[in-house]
Amino acid sequence: QVELVESGGGLVQPGGSLRLSCEVSGKFYNVVSVGWYRQVPGLQREFVAAMVSGGGSNYGDSVKGRFAISRDNAKNTGYLQMDNLKPEDTAVYYCHASVRKNPGRPYDDYWGQGTQVTVSS
């Protein structure tokens, strides 16, 4: 069983910063990629950022220049550094990971349970 455990959410003032973590645990070979999505109740889940093992990254237009994705392969953990937070960033943030369970096999997709980020004055 592969599980994604998220942490780092909370309440922050506009202009403040938070760092989210996503640890991949369980039985697997390697983590191919990590990504972050966010969702407000009643709205469609929105792409935030993604990063492959080689270091390439992509960001949603609304967070470019403010958010930065990274990963620690030794810890099987992905991170999302969020700076200059705005009230419109308020959402539940979900971690996504593509995980290869066995060498040479296609990867499987997993989602974390989400962590609440609230930006308010």
Side-chain angles (χ1 to χ4, degrees), residues 41-60:
L43 300 180
Q44 187 176 359
R45 188 167 295 187
E46 176 189 15
F47 171 76
V48 175
M51 187 177 193
V52 298
S53 181
S57 60
N58 292 288
Y59 297 91

Side-chain angles (χ1 to χ4, degrees), residues 26 66 105:
R66 300 188 298 118
R105 295 279 186 171

